Short mmCIF file of all heavy atoms in Angstrom, two decimals:
data_model
loop_
_atom_site.label_atom_id
_atom_site.label_comp_id
_atom_site.label_asym_id
_atom_site.label_seq_id
_atom_site.Cartn_x
_atom_site.Cartn_y
_atom_site.Cartn_z
N THR A 381 -18.10 -89.85 12.62
CA THR A 381 -19.50 -89.82 13.08
C THR A 381 -20.52 -89.95 12.02
O THR A 381 -21.69 -90.30 12.29
CB THR A 381 -19.77 -88.48 13.86
OG1 THR A 381 -19.54 -87.40 12.95
CG2 THR A 381 -18.84 -88.40 15.06
N MET A 382 -20.14 -89.69 10.77
CA MET A 382 -21.17 -89.64 9.72
C MET A 382 -21.91 -90.95 9.47
O MET A 382 -23.04 -90.97 8.98
CB MET A 382 -20.57 -89.13 8.40
CG MET A 382 -19.58 -90.10 7.73
SD MET A 382 -18.90 -89.37 6.23
CE MET A 382 -17.98 -90.78 5.59
N ARG A 383 -21.31 -92.06 9.88
CA ARG A 383 -21.93 -93.37 9.65
C ARG A 383 -22.62 -93.95 10.88
O ARG A 383 -23.29 -94.99 10.78
CB ARG A 383 -20.90 -94.35 9.14
CG ARG A 383 -19.75 -94.58 10.16
CD ARG A 383 -18.83 -95.67 9.69
NE ARG A 383 -19.46 -96.94 9.55
CZ ARG A 383 -19.73 -97.78 10.54
NH1 ARG A 383 -19.42 -97.43 11.77
NH2 ARG A 383 -20.27 -98.90 10.31
N THR A 384 -22.49 -93.33 12.02
CA THR A 384 -22.97 -93.94 13.27
C THR A 384 -24.45 -94.34 13.25
O THR A 384 -24.79 -95.45 13.60
CB THR A 384 -22.66 -93.04 14.48
OG1 THR A 384 -23.13 -91.69 14.16
CG2 THR A 384 -21.19 -92.97 14.81
N TYR A 385 -25.26 -93.41 12.81
CA TYR A 385 -26.71 -93.69 12.69
C TYR A 385 -27.15 -93.78 11.22
O TYR A 385 -28.05 -94.53 10.88
CB TYR A 385 -27.54 -92.64 13.41
CG TYR A 385 -27.81 -92.99 14.86
CD1 TYR A 385 -27.11 -92.29 15.86
CD2 TYR A 385 -28.71 -93.95 15.23
CE1 TYR A 385 -27.33 -92.60 17.20
CE2 TYR A 385 -28.94 -94.27 16.55
CZ TYR A 385 -28.25 -93.54 17.54
OH TYR A 385 -28.47 -93.88 18.84
N SER A 386 -26.51 -93.00 10.37
CA SER A 386 -26.90 -92.97 8.96
C SER A 386 -26.82 -94.34 8.33
O SER A 386 -27.73 -94.76 7.56
CB SER A 386 -26.02 -91.98 8.19
OG SER A 386 -26.16 -90.67 8.72
N GLU A 387 -25.74 -95.09 8.63
CA GLU A 387 -25.58 -96.43 8.06
C GLU A 387 -26.63 -97.36 8.58
O GLU A 387 -27.14 -98.24 7.87
CB GLU A 387 -24.18 -96.94 8.40
CG GLU A 387 -23.87 -98.35 7.91
CD GLU A 387 -23.91 -98.47 6.42
OE1 GLU A 387 -23.77 -97.45 5.72
OE2 GLU A 387 -24.10 -99.59 5.92
N GLU A 388 -26.97 -97.23 9.88
CA GLU A 388 -28.03 -98.07 10.46
C GLU A 388 -29.33 -97.80 9.76
O GLU A 388 -30.12 -98.76 9.46
CB GLU A 388 -28.16 -97.74 11.96
CG GLU A 388 -26.91 -97.99 12.80
CD GLU A 388 -26.87 -99.42 13.33
OE1 GLU A 388 -27.64 -100.27 12.90
OE2 GLU A 388 -25.99 -99.68 14.22
N LYS A 389 -29.66 -96.56 9.49
CA LYS A 389 -30.91 -96.19 8.79
C LYS A 389 -30.90 -96.71 7.35
O LYS A 389 -31.92 -97.21 6.86
CB LYS A 389 -31.12 -94.70 8.82
CG LYS A 389 -31.51 -94.12 10.18
CD LYS A 389 -31.84 -92.65 10.06
CE LYS A 389 -32.36 -92.08 11.39
NZ LYS A 389 -32.74 -90.70 11.26
N ARG A 390 -29.77 -96.54 6.70
CA ARG A 390 -29.72 -96.95 5.27
C ARG A 390 -29.85 -98.45 5.08
O ARG A 390 -30.55 -98.95 4.18
CB ARG A 390 -28.38 -96.50 4.68
CG ARG A 390 -28.26 -96.69 3.18
CD ARG A 390 -26.82 -96.57 2.72
NE ARG A 390 -25.99 -97.60 3.31
CZ ARG A 390 -25.93 -98.85 2.88
NH1 ARG A 390 -26.69 -99.24 1.80
NH2 ARG A 390 -25.16 -99.76 3.45
N SER A 391 -29.25 -99.20 6.01
CA SER A 391 -29.26 -100.67 5.90
C SER A 391 -30.54 -101.26 6.54
O SER A 391 -30.80 -102.46 6.35
CB SER A 391 -28.05 -101.24 6.58
OG SER A 391 -27.99 -100.91 7.95
N GLY A 392 -31.30 -100.45 7.28
CA GLY A 392 -32.53 -100.94 7.91
C GLY A 392 -32.31 -101.59 9.25
O GLY A 392 -33.27 -102.13 9.85
N THR A 393 -31.06 -101.65 9.73
CA THR A 393 -30.78 -102.30 11.04
C THR A 393 -31.16 -101.42 12.22
O THR A 393 -31.14 -101.89 13.34
CB THR A 393 -29.29 -102.65 11.14
OG1 THR A 393 -28.54 -101.46 10.93
CG2 THR A 393 -28.92 -103.67 10.08
N VAL A 394 -31.52 -100.15 11.95
CA VAL A 394 -31.89 -99.28 13.06
C VAL A 394 -33.19 -99.76 13.75
O VAL A 394 -33.34 -99.64 14.96
CB VAL A 394 -32.01 -97.81 12.58
CG1 VAL A 394 -33.22 -97.64 11.65
CG2 VAL A 394 -32.18 -96.90 13.76
N GLU A 395 -34.09 -100.32 12.94
CA GLU A 395 -35.34 -100.86 13.53
C GLU A 395 -35.04 -102.01 14.42
O GLU A 395 -35.63 -102.13 15.51
CB GLU A 395 -36.32 -101.28 12.42
CG GLU A 395 -36.99 -100.16 11.63
CD GLU A 395 -36.08 -99.62 10.52
OE1 GLU A 395 -34.96 -100.21 10.34
OE2 GLU A 395 -36.45 -98.63 9.86
N LEU A 396 -34.13 -102.88 14.02
CA LEU A 396 -33.71 -104.02 14.85
C LEU A 396 -33.07 -103.52 16.15
O LEU A 396 -33.33 -104.08 17.23
CB LEU A 396 -32.79 -104.94 14.08
CG LEU A 396 -32.28 -106.16 14.84
CD1 LEU A 396 -33.44 -107.09 15.16
CD2 LEU A 396 -31.25 -106.89 13.96
N LEU A 397 -32.28 -102.48 16.02
CA LEU A 397 -31.60 -101.96 17.19
C LEU A 397 -32.58 -101.31 18.16
O LEU A 397 -32.46 -101.49 19.38
CB LEU A 397 -30.53 -100.91 16.76
CG LEU A 397 -29.65 -100.32 17.83
CD1 LEU A 397 -28.80 -101.40 18.45
CD2 LEU A 397 -28.76 -99.23 17.23
N LEU A 398 -33.55 -100.60 17.62
CA LEU A 398 -34.51 -99.90 18.49
C LEU A 398 -35.49 -100.83 19.14
O LEU A 398 -36.10 -100.47 20.19
CB LEU A 398 -35.26 -98.85 17.65
CG LEU A 398 -34.42 -97.65 17.14
CD1 LEU A 398 -35.27 -96.76 16.26
CD2 LEU A 398 -33.83 -96.86 18.31
N THR A 399 -35.72 -101.99 18.57
CA THR A 399 -36.64 -102.98 19.19
C THR A 399 -35.91 -104.00 20.04
O THR A 399 -36.55 -104.90 20.61
CB THR A 399 -37.40 -103.73 18.07
OG1 THR A 399 -36.50 -104.32 17.13
CG2 THR A 399 -38.32 -102.78 17.32
N SER A 400 -34.59 -103.89 20.13
CA SER A 400 -33.83 -104.79 21.02
C SER A 400 -33.98 -104.38 22.46
O SER A 400 -34.39 -103.28 22.76
CB SER A 400 -32.33 -104.75 20.59
OG SER A 400 -31.81 -103.45 20.74
#
Side-chain angles (χ1 to χ4, degrees):
T381 60
M382 67 182 188
R383 61 175 298 278
T384 48
Y385 271 106
S386 299
E387 178 63 20
E388 299 270 13
K389 288 186 174 184
R390 187 195 63 79
S391 61
T393 56
V394 67
E395 287 82 4
L396 179 63
L397 185 63
L398 292 176
T399 54
S400 59

